[in-house]
Every structure is written in structure tokens, then in C-alpha cells.
């Protein structure tokens, strides 16, 4: 899409910094100087191209340092969900980009900004021509970048997805999918890199036979080699979902 940075284009951009109307809690990030970064979404279908991802930086006193917008193209459904910083202060946003007339329907989206909020690159990722969504992003060592979400498959339900990217250009190095035993909707929600053990943890939900949707937690090495995973099922066998994960560094 084109990129627009004129605040006048998005007059309601003061809102949406924490929660979307649907209740999905967008991620926040904090840098070493105490600055806060938030990703959100702006919608106004009465305006041509009235859909944008909003990235905002707050100073430690919570005054606004700057706001950046990604979008401005008609018939394009943009959504930002995940946010991460690297050691150089670069900012990564994960989400999705789709359009009703797109051959690939909806793709994962990753955007990279420098520390000043200048756009460096963006990439879209289509798995199999169906609906794909990016929900979490994490930075690792040696230029590794990790994303998680869900990917659609023809005539099948979506699988949980994790990919390892090159942070300098967004190219995919490797990826994996996770499919619950019920072959229904599976989704990755958040991901974190633990530098003390050089492992990543991803959380989300998988649909299991007899227990519906269960919380899923997976552990992988930096190259996405599988180490272990676990599911958590509530007593009522209802819908259980994991939305956040962090590492204690021990």
C-alpha cells in the first residue's frame, strides 16, 4: 500500500492505542529509555482508503513523541496486532493485509521502522492463497526475526504458524505449522525470544479432539527446531486461548 503520514488524513487517530473495538489487546513495547510504543488500527469507511495501521511512540511522561500511519489504499483491509523492538531501536509491526479483490485474499504483514519511525520496509506473506494473519513478532540475535499467527489452507482449517525471518530484508529463512488433532482452527497469538537460552516461546490455541480449543505453548530453538510443547484444557472443555507470553531469563 501507499504510506501516508499526514495526521489530517486520520482525524480520529488519538484513539485505538490499547484495545480494538473487537477486544483484541494490541501489544505494547518499552525501550531502555522508558519510551512506550503502541500499535493500533484506524477505520473510517466513509473516507477513501479509510483504514490504517497506527504506530505511536510515547515519551516516559506519556506525552506523544510521534505517530506514524501505514495505509491509505481503497479496498484494503489492514490490521496491526504485534509489536517488537530490536537492540538498535528498530520497530517491527506484525499484522495482516487483505482486499476483497486480492488473489491471495489476506496475507501476513510485517513492517519495519527505524528508531525515528521512518519506514524501512514492509513484506507480505501468503501461505496458500487463503486467509493468513500475523499476531505476534519478536526479535532475536544475529538478525533473526520471528512472527506467529495463523495460515489458511485450501479446503482445510487454518494452522498455527511460526516463521523465522531475516530482519534486514524480511525474507523468510524457515517456517513451521502446528495443527491440532481436531483439524480445526489453530492460531499463534504471541511469541518471545529468550536470549539466555537462545530459545523462543510461542503461545496460542489449537483445536483438539474432544476438548475443543486448548491453550498451546511451544518451545523451539533459534532455528525453529522443536524442543517441547504443552496444551492446557479447562474443566468444561470449552474454548481456551493463550494471548501472551514472556521469558524470565533464568
Amino acid at each position: 500500500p501507499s504510506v501516508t503520514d499526514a495526521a489530517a488524513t486520520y482525524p480520529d487517530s488519538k484513539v485505538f492505542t490499547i484495545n480494538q473495538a473487537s477486544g483484541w489487546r494490541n501489544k505494547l513495547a518499552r525501550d531502555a529509555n522508558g519510551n512506550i510504543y503502541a500499535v493500533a488500527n484506524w477505520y473510517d469507511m466513509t473516507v477513501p482508503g479509510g483504514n490504517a495501521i497506527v504506530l505511536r511512540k510515547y515519551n516516559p511522561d506519556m506525552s506523544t513523541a510521534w505517530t506514524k500511519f501505514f495505509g491509505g489504499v481503497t479496498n484494503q483491509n489492514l490490521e496491526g496486532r504485534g509489536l517488537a523492538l530490536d537492540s538498535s531501536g528498530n520497530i517491527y509491526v506484525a499484522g495482516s493485509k487483505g482486499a476483497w479483490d486480492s488473489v491471495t485474499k489476506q496475507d501476513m504483514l510485517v513492517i519495519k521502522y527505524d528508531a525515528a519511525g521512518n519506514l524501512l520496509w514492509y513484506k507480505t506473506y501468503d501461505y496458500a492463497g487463503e486467509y493468513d494473519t500475523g499476531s505476534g513478532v519478536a526479535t532475536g540475535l544475529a538478525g533473526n526475526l520471528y512472527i506467529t499467527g495463523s495460515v489458511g489452507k485450501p479446503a482445510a482449517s487454518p494452522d498455527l504458524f511460526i516463521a523465522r525471518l531475516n530482519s534486514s530484508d524480511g525474507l523468510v529463512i524457515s517456517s513451521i505449522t502446528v495443527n491440532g488433532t481436531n483439524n480445526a482452527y489453530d492460531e499463534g497469538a504471541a511469541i518471545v525470544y529468550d536470549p539466555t537460552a537462545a530459545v523462543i516461546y510461542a503461545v496460542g490455541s489449537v483445536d483438539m479432539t474432544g476438548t475443543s480449543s486448548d491453550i498451546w505453548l511451544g518451545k523451539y530453538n533459534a532455528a525453529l527446531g522443536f524442543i517441547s510443547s504443552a496444551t492446557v484444557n479447562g474443566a468444561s472443555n470449552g474454548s481456551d486461548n493463550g494471548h501472551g507470553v514472556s521469558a524470565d531469563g533464568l
Side-chain angles (χ1 to χ4, degrees):
S2 64
V3 177
T4 304
D5 256 344
T9 307
Y10 309 104
D12 296 327
S13 62
K14 293 180 180 179
V15 297
F16 307 102
T17 54
I18 304 299
N19 289 329
Q20 298 180 35
S22 62
W24 184 279
R25 288 169 175 79
N26 286 350
K27 309 302 186 296
L28 301 175
R30 180 180 181 273
D31 66 21
N33 297 316
N35 300 299
I36 302 293
Y37 302 81
V39 63
N41 301 283
W42 176 87
Y43 299 93
D44 185 350
M45 295 300 101
T46 66
V47 178
N51 175 204
I53 295 171
V54 183
L55 174 65
R56 177 164 290 173
K57 177 182 178 180
Y58 294 94
N59 298 311
D61 64 0
M62 293 308 296
S63 61
T64 299
W66 47 253
T67 305
K68 302 294 180 179
F69 304 96
F70 184 90
V73 175
T74 304
N75 295 332
Q76 201 161 67
N77 182 27
L78 293 165
E79 185 171 24
R81 285 188 171 187
L83 178 67
L85 309 175
D86 67 19
S87 58
S88 298
N90 298 305
I91 308 154
Y92 302 86
V93 174
S96 59
K97 181 182 81 71
W100 65 267
D101 55 354
S102 170
V103 174
T104 59
K105 298 178 181 177
Q106 177 175 289
D107 300 335
M108 281 192 177
L109 171 68
V110 178
I111 314 168
K112 181 178 181 179
Y113 298 87
D114 66 18
N118 298 307
L119 178 69
L120 297 179
W121 53 256
Y122 73 89
K123 299 286 186 181
T124 57
Y125 308 92
D126 171 56
Y127 186 75
E130 298 295 327
Y131 291 91
D132 309 315
T133 300
S135 298
V137 59
T139 57
L141 300 179
N144 287 322
L145 182 68
Y146 301 93
I147 59 172
T148 189
S150 65
V151 291
K153 303 170 296 180
S157 296
D159 286 349
L160 188 153
F161 178 80
I162 302 173
R164 174 188 173 205
L165 312 178
N166 186 323
S167 65
S168 65
D169 54 19
L171 295 180
V172 176
I173 301 172
S174 59
S175 66
I176 59 169
T177 59
V178 178
N179 180 31
T181 56
N182 200 37
N183 290 322
Y185 188 85
D186 308 308
E187 180 182 31
I191 193 166
V192 66
Y193 178 76
D194 181 0
T196 60
V199 298
I200 65 166
Y201 298 94
V203 69
S205 60
V206 293
D207 207 288
M208 305 295 286
T209 303
T211 61
S212 187
S213 176
D214 291 349
I215 295 171
W216 175 89
L217 177 66
K219 179 180 181 181
Y220 297 83
N221 64 29
L224 293 189
F226 177 77
I227 298 175
S228 62
S229 67
T231 57
V232 179
N233 175 40
S236 67
N237 287 331
S239 180
D240 307 307
N241 300 281
H243 290 296
V245 61
S246 63
D248 60 14
L250 299 178

